[in-house]
Structures are given as structure tokens and as C-alpha cells.
Amino acid sequence: MAMLMAVPFLVSCSDDDEDNGFKQGAVVAILKNSNIDYWQQIASAIESECLAKGVKPIIAYNNNDADADGQLAVAAGIDRLEDYYNIKGIIVAPVYTEDDHRVEQTLSGYYEDDNIPVVIIDSPIDQQKSPLKSSYRAYVGTDNKEAGKILAQKAGLKTSGSILSARVQASVPTVLRYQGFSEALGREVPLWLTADIETPETMKSEFSKYDGITDVVFFNGSICNSVLPALEGKNVYTFDVYKPFLENLQTGGCIKGIIAQNTFEMGRQAVLALFDNTVGRTVYIPTVYINKDNLNSAEVAPFMKYYELK
């Protein structure tokens, strides 16, 4: 698999690449952060499905989840890849704000010039405002608002009580999860932006500002993972599967519930959507709520593809 980082834009080529050169079809996937399990798993699934279809996977990453400028540099660099590969499609998890659609505009140009379709993964776009239009094959990912509702319902959290929650400022999925969670709960709960709580020490400092906090909800699993040592004694509910969460859950620790996304199926369906000529469809990948009681169940097994527990 060729892998790219946001800066510089480089392609690693094997001997096989040099032999095939222009002949080989390729799919470019622009994902958000190579240091996070979630994105590594999606990349692995994209790679497997591309190879099964006989096309080369080229995986690119931003420097971090909010790196819009880095993602724009990667998107612009695809132009150079076209000198070496027959690009069959682009999969992207866009970083954007309400009025920043530069990455989508750049990718739209590849469709207009070279008929290269685009699939959006993980982070839904505003179809009314997006410049992608006819180049946009599908959104593949979680119904994030519904997943937020499921978390509130399955966790059995009360409509009143001391709950804190955390999301990523520029992340559309975490905004939608918070909205769904609040709707199901019947009220908004205090909300941190995760830039304020990136270490166990800052997490403990934030707790000191509130009285009687019993339940903590994370709409972004990577942040929960980074501050996990500071959460003992709380009831913690989070998105995304990380091995420390599963081990903590298994041993009766602070993690009480997890909304798991099926990263393997998400990556696989994104590749399949590229080769489907339908325009503008939505492919929701089901989630599952994991707690100690169903951790080893058949229902949860498909979401545990990348983990082994004792």
C-alpha cells in the first residue's frame, strides 16, 4: 500500500508499481489521522477491498483531525498522482467548517476534468452547499445523530443529574452525536471542547470545576483514550472501540458503555460505493452498544475484528 502524509506529498512505490506504471488503476483515500486506531482500521479495510477489486490503494492522512489546510494540500497533490496511476476514485473524510468547502471544490475539479468520482466517509457533508454535486457517489458512515440517541437510551442515563460531555470543536460527527444525545435525554448537558482536556492532568483540573459529577460522555473515542487514567471513579460512556476501553470494561473499570462503529464495514462499503454509478446516496453502517454483559456476544463480534481479548 502506498501511504501519503499531508506534508510533504509523497508516494512510496514498490518494484511492482514501477513495472505497471500507468497501467495500474488506483483508489486514493484521504483520512484524518494516522495515529488513531479508528483511521488505521478504516485504512486497512479500504486496502483489503481495493486489492480484492484489483486496484491499488493509496492512503493519505492529514496531520490531525482538524487539519483542513493539510487536507487541502493532499487533495491538490492528487494531480501529480495522475501522472503515475489511473485514478479510479477518491474516498475522503472531509475536514471543514460551515463555510469552508475548499477540499470539496478541489475534488470536484477532478471529476469535471477526468471523471473521477468521490465517496465521503465518516464525516457527512451539507449536500445543499457542497460543490461536489454530480461527482459525489455516496456518504458512507454512521448515522451520528441516531447513534447519540442510542447512547443516551442504552446507557440508561437520567434526564437530570450530573453529566459532562466532550466533543471535537470542528468535527461534524461529534456535533451530531451531541445533538442526538441531548434530544434523547431531553436536555442539553455541559459540554467541553476536547482541546481543553487533552491530558489526564487537564481532565482532573476540569473535574474540579464541577460538583458531584457521576457520568462522563465522550463523543470522540481518541480523547477518552488519552485521558482514561483520570476517569476512575466515574461512569464513562464513549464512542469507538479501543483496546484499553475493552479491557477496562471487561474488568469492571470506569468504562460502562461504548458505541462501536464497524470500521471494517465502513471502509469496505466506501470502496464498493465508488464502483456504483448511483449519485448522492447515503449508506449508513449500523453501530452497536457494548457493555460488560454483551462484550463476548455474536452481536458484538463483527465490531471486534481488530482486537483480541483474553
Side-chain angles (χ1 to χ4, degrees), residues 13 21 34 36 57 65 96 120 146-147 164-166 183-184 265 294:
C13 296
S34 63
I36 294 177
D65 281 5
Y96 66 95
I120 303 298
E146 182 62 23
L164 286 176
S165 60
E183 285 184 16
E265 191 63 16
N294 71 351

Side-chain angles (χ1 to χ4, degrees), residues 92-296:
V92 60
V95 176
Y96 66 95
T97 59
E98 184 177 357
D99 298 315
D100 182 0
H101 298 275
R102 293 174 297 163
V103 171
E104 296 159 68
Q105 185 66 58
T106 299
L107 297 180
S108 179
Y110 293 122
Y111 183 81
E112 293 168 3
D113 295 340
D114 302 304
N115 200 34
I116 299 174
V118 175
V119 164
I120 303 298
I121 192 169
D122 174 77
S123 306
I125 61 172
D126 186 333
Q127 292 190 46
Q128 299 301 314
K129 296 181 179 180
S130 174
L132 285 174
K133 299 176 183 175
S134 58
S135 64
Y136 170 46
R137 285 285 185 267
Y139 164 68
V140 178
T142 296
D143 183 343
N144 287 287
K145 192 168 184 179
E146 182 62 23
K149 292 179 180 179
I150 291 171
L151 178 58
Q153 293 161 354
K154 292 286 190 179
L157 297 173
K158 298 177 180 179
T159 56
S160 62
S162 296
I163 304 171
L164 286 176
S165 60
R167 69 168 176 82
V168 179
Q169 185 169 7
S171 167
V172 174
T174 62
V175 172
L176 292 171
R177 293 166 192 171
Y178 175 74
Q179 290 174 352
F181 180 84
S182 298
E183 285 184 16
L185 203 63
R187 67 184 176 98
E188 292 188 354
V189 298
L191 179 67
W192 290 305
L193 296 180
T194 53
D196 299 328
I197 53 167
E198 292 180 338
T199 66
E201 290 72 25
T202 54
M203 181 83 258
K204 290 176 181 177
S205 175
E206 284 298 309
F207 278 143
S208 69
K209 300 176 184 179
Y210 300 88
D211 293 326
I213 297 301
T214 57
D215 302 298
V216 186
V217 178
F218 288 86
F219 299 108
N220 177 282
S222 65
I223 298 298
C224 181
N225 192 41
S226 68
V227 300
L228 192 58
L231 299 174
E232 289 304 323
K234 311 296 183 184
N235 299 317
V236 179
Y237 304 89
T238 185
F239 272 74
D240 303 327
V241 175
Y242 286 75
K243 192 169 184 179
F245 297 172
L246 298 172
E247 292 172 342
N248 186 288
L249 185 65
Q250 190 178 42
T251 57
C254 62
I255 300 287
K256 303 302 180 186
I258 302 166
I259 290 286
Q261 301 180 86
N262 192 331
T263 50
F264 179 80
E265 191 63 16
M266 198 181 298
R268 191 178 80 87
Q269 289 295 334
V271 176
L272 294 177
L274 274 179
F275 295 90
D276 183 329
N277 290 327
T278 305
V279 175
R281 67 193 180 103
T282 296
V283 182
Y284 282 141
I285 308 300
T287 59
V288 68
Y289 179 76
I290 303 176
N291 60 21
K292 191 175 181 180
D293 294 333
N294 71 351
L295 181 57
N296 297 310

